[in-house]
Structure formats: structure tokens, C-alpha cells
Amino acid sequence: MKKELKTLGTELFVVGERVRISKDGYMKLPIPMEEEQEAIFISTEGGYRLIPLLPDAKRIYIEVTTECNFACITCIRSSWHDRLLHMEWETFEKILESLKELPELESVHFGGFGEPMMHPRIFDMLRAVKKLGLKAEMITNGSYLNKENIQKLIDLELDVLFTSLDSPEEEEYNEIRQGANFQSVSQSIANLQAMKQERKTRKPELGIEFVAMKKNYARLPKLIQMAYDLKASQIIISNLLPYHESMKDEIVYDIDDTGCMFGKDSLKTTVWAQMSNMKLRTERSCKFAKDKSLCINYQGNVSPCYALMHSYECYIYGRKKQMYPCYMGNVNEKKLQEIWMDPGYVNFRRAVNENLFPSCTDCKSRDGCSYTDSNEMDCWGNSPSCGECLWARRIIACP
């Protein structure tokens, strides 16, 4: 491939390759080693830019397992073919060592597309992250919250525990989260809060996540009241991303959400809960890129976000779409700092932050366009394409 050469001052640089800059941002060669900073030199529509390569990741999501004891109708397992396995301890140890080399890292979230508490060493993992002085979070379906495990979570001072509750009503909850027991899960959450009060501690703070669909949307105010009564510190309302054709007509994000959606309960839902958008809007903002986050799946593969962790099928406004994973590296082969600072990954985050990809979902040429069949590539030449990301539209949300 032909390389483009450009001059900046008196020096000659190759577009897209690493360059050295001084800490004050100027190109001064030679530069004393203690003052230099590595950067990439890129071509943009408005000219040329220098982007520093910094180990500035702030949040990491770790998928410690793909196993789960539930068979929820909303789950990605409806359309994927990944193996159901736990993360190897050696892989986690390599992650742990890499965390020490990320000076701006603030929090580690244990989640992904499995039930973290099924991993036989989940408490060792949480404890190890806490020993590094980092904030530790976890999301669970609640089925493993017996009193012994609650006690362990309190003892290790887990910062936040999110629990999925997709309905405040027993029959509906059990129908959505097949294999679950509403009475058992809700009682376990109540036990968690009672044991915290008895121990005079606020940790772990309780978060509740609700996935909205036609089946349960009318019960949202009741769910929010339930979460409030349980003294949850966070209530996240996401939307359904259908992974199976049988769920594609269950979406509710095509309604007018500017008025009083729940009558007298509307104020309560908007004040107490973090509501996702219920209608497609122009604004796009990637939470993962803005928060300087990355995701690590059970095999140690590093992805920019949840949506790019696995291969699966989903339905975007009724249209079937094949999703392929995007891996920037693997922690078994490279350190997180090296993966995070790779020029290709840095430039990918820049493009996402600046919305340098098409808006396929509301494009007038969408019908008949083969680019929307998958996320492999879009008409602007991006690969993978973020053109139909509902996370960026704030329709799908996660902790």
C-alpha cells in the first residue's frame, strides 16, 4: 500500500503511523526521552491531526462466563453459537496484571452475556479487583443471592450490585425469565438490603435493570415503585433488542415519549429511573467510547463494546441483521495497555466519538441496501459498521 508522506515543520512523517511529540504537544525532534509522548499522525477532512496514544482507559467490562441457569426470552442465546464456558483463571490473572498498568482506570464491571455468579472463582475475582483499589460492580439474575453469598459480597465491599427484574409481577416475570422464581429472587434482594442495614453499610449499592417490551411495559411504574421500596440507588430502563424472530414485534421504541406516558405515574418514572429513549432521535453518542471503556469476553478477546463481543443475529425494527464480533486483541497475547493504545483502536474510538459513520436506521436508501444485512461494512467504508447501533441512540442501555 502506498504511504502518504507529509511534512510538519522541518520533519517528514507518514500518515497513519506513530510519531513522537513533546508533552506540550509540539513536534520537536530530537526530544529527550523523559519529555516525549507517542502519537499517531492522521489525515482528516479538515487537515492533519496528532492524537496522543495514552493508557487512559477508565472502565472495563469483564465477561467471566457464558453459562447461565436461566433461559430468558430476551437473551442473546436465542441466536448465537458460542460455547458455554467459564473464563480460565490464567486469563483473568493476565487481565489483573494489565489493570495495574492503566493509571486512569476507575471501575471494573463483571457482566457480559452470562451469569457471573456461576463462575467458581467469582469472589476471588471481585476480591482481587478491590485489592487494586478499584471500584467493583457486578450484574446478576439474583438466583445465587443466598445469605452466604450476600455475606461474602458485603465482606469484600462490592461497590454496586445490579439485579435484572423484568416485571414486578410473579407470573409475567417467570414467563420472561424462564427457569427463574420471582418469589425467590425478590426475597433475596430484600435479604441483601436487610443484611446491609444490619451491618450498617451501604455497600453493595443496589441497582435494578428492567428491559422494556410490549409484554411488560405497562407494569413499569409498578416496577419502579418496587425498586424504590427496596431502596435501590439506581434504576436503569433499557429496551429490548430482539435476538429471535418471535420477539421482533415486542419492541416499544416507536412511541411518543415526550408526553405523559403513564399518566399520574409519569413524573415518578422519569425522576426515579434512568429512562432510555423510546423513539429514534438524531443525536448519537457511544457510551463505551465516551466513558473510555472496553469489554473483555470469556476467552480474553477485547472488544470496543458489548455489541461487538460475539457473533449473533438480531432484529433492528423488524429487519434481520447478522452481527460479527470485533476483536482488538487478546489479553492472553498482549497487555491491555498495548491493545488500548494500538493506533487502529485509537482511531476507531476517534471515529465513533465523532460519529464518522452513516445513520443506517433512518436512511432514506435503507430499503434494498445490502449493507444493513450485517455490521461487516457500511457505505462509508467502515468495518465494522456502527451505523445501526441502538446503544448509540440511547435506546438500549447497560450499567
Side-chain angles (χ1 to χ4, degrees):
M1 183 172 65
K2 185 179 179 181
K3 292 184 177 180
E4 182 182 1
L5 302 178
K6 292 290 173 180
T7 59
L8 195 62
T10 59
E11 303 299 333
L12 188 67
F13 299 99
V14 181
V15 176
E17 291 196 355
R18 294 173 185 246
V19 296
R20 298 277 180 179
I21 62 173
S22 62
K23 287 187 177 179
D24 57 9
Y26 292 95
M27 307 293 296
K28 295 177 182 176
L29 299 177
I31 305 169
M33 285 295 292
E34 65 273 11
E35 294 182 8
E36 70 180 22
Q37 168 67 59
E38 205 167 20
I40 53 172
F41 183 50
I42 63 167
S43 173
T44 68
E45 194 173 300
Y48 294 90
R49 285 174 57 186
L50 288 170
I51 303 179
L53 303 179
L54 302 171
D56 57 353
K58 291 187 175 180
R59 184 171 173 82
I60 291 178
Y61 293 83
I62 303 178
E63 178 185 69
V64 297
T65 186
T66 49
E67 292 196 16
C68 187
N69 56 329
F70 288 0
C72 304
I73 62 175
T74 57
C75 188
I76 194 173
R77 284 170 182 75
S78 301
S79 67
W80 80 355
H81 303 289
D82 281 43
R83 299 169 67 190
L84 303 182
L85 293 171
H86 298 315
M87 176 180 283
E88 295 288 341
W89 181 252
E90 291 76 15
T91 299
F92 180 75
E93 284 186 315
K94 289 179 179 177
I95 294 172
L96 202 61
E97 285 303 308
S98 287
L99 299 184
K100 300 173 184 177
E101 298 178 0
L102 297 173
E104 296 188 29
L105 187 62
E106 297 172 354
S107 62
V108 176
H109 179 95
F110 290 82
F113 296 100
E115 170 50 49
M117 295 192 74
M118 290 187 72
H119 195 288
R121 299 195 66 176
I122 184 60
F123 294 106
D124 293 331
M125 292 174 164
L126 295 170
R127 195 173 294 108
V129 167
K130 289 294 295 182
K131 282 185 178 179
L132 294 179
L134 298 170
K135 182 178 181 181
E137 304 175 356
M138 182 171 66
I139 187 166
T140 177
N141 60 29
S143 61
Y144 286 88
L145 290 179
N146 56 45
K147 291 187 178 180
E148 180 184 356
N149 285 341
I150 291 172
Q151 194 69 56
K152 289 180 181 179
L153 295 175
I154 293 174
D155 288 342
L156 61 83
E157 297 185 321
L158 180 71
D159 292 277
V160 185
L161 180 69
F162 290 93
T163 305
S164 300
L165 279 177
D166 291 333
S167 178
E169 297 183 356
E170 181 173 6
E171 184 176 348
E172 186 173 71
Y173 173 90
N174 292 344
E175 180 185 348
I176 295 171
R177 303 186 71 79
Q178 294 177 8
N181 183 298
F182 176 79
Q183 291 296 336
S184 175
V185 170
S186 57
Q187 184 58 55
S188 294
I189 297 171
N191 290 341
L192 166 70
Q193 298 299 72
M195 291 174 73
K196 281 165 49 183
Q197 186 173 12
E198 183 181 324
R199 291 278 300 272
K200 295 182 172 57
T201 181
R202 297 181 63 181
K203 293 183 179 181
E205 293 184 5
L206 174 64
I208 299 294
E209 184 172 22
F210 175 93
V211 177
M213 62 195 99
K214 288 179 181 177
K215 190 183 300 293
N216 63 3
Y217 190 57
R219 261 72 63 196
L220 180 53
K222 185 177 178 180
L223 183 281
I224 292 174
Q225 183 64 55
M226 177 183 174
Y228 182 81
D229 293 341
L230 286 167
K231 296 182 172 58
S233 60
Q234 297 183 55
I235 308 170
I236 298 175
I237 310 302
S238 182
N239 269 295
L240 170 72
L241 178 60
Y243 295 110
H244 191 271
E245 189 173 14
S246 62
M247 297 296 293
K248 70 178 185 179
D249 294 326
E250 279 287 322
I251 64 170
V252 292
Y253 38 92
D254 54 358
I255 61 177
D256 182 8
D257 60 358
T258 59
C260 295
M261 294 183 289
F262 297 102
K264 62 182 177 61
D265 292 320
S266 291
L267 183 62
K268 178 168 62 179
T269 58
T270 54
V271 171
W272 289 354
Q274 301 171 40
M275 291 287 294
S276 295
N277 287 337
M278 294 295 166
K279 196 174 186 68
L280 193 71
R281 285 183 166 77
T282 303
E283 179 187 4
R284 294 184 291 176
S285 179
C286 175
K287 168 185 169 65
F288 295 95
K290 294 288 185 186
D291 292 351
K292 296 185 177 179
S293 304
L294 62 84
C295 301
I296 308 172
N297 78 359
Y298 70 110
Q299 294 175 314
N301 293 313
V302 176
S303 294
C305 62
Y306 269 162
L308 298 175
M309 287 178 75
H310 298 281
S311 179
Y312 57 93
E313 295 172 356
C314 63
Y315 289 80
I316 308 293
Y317 286 92
R319 291 179 293 103
K320 186 176 180 180
K321 191 178 190 77
Q322 175 65 51
M323 298 293 292
Y324 297 105
C326 175
Y327 299 141
M328 299 297 182
N330 188 291
V331 296
N332 293 300
E333 300 165 0
K334 295 181 180 179
K335 292 187 176 182
L336 279 176
Q337 184 187 77
E338 184 182 355
I339 295 171
W340 179 258
M341 294 171 60
D342 178 84
Y345 193 5
V346 172
N347 204 32
F348 174 86
R349 295 195 299 273
R350 176 193 68 89
V352 170
N353 269 323
E354 296 175 9
N355 291 326
L356 300 180
F357 51 89
S359 179
C360 303
T361 311
D362 52 357
C363 176
K364 65 179 182 180
S365 303
R366 182 192 66 212
D367 294 337
C369 177
S370 61
Y371 281 116
T372 61
D373 292 342
S374 76
N375 70 327
E376 192 170 15
M377 182 176 285
D378 59 41
C379 60
W380 289 15
N382 297 304
S383 181
S385 172
C386 298
E388 289 202 290
C389 180
L390 298 183
W391 273 272
R393 298 286 193 168
R394 293 178 57 203
I395 286 175
I396 308 296
C398 56

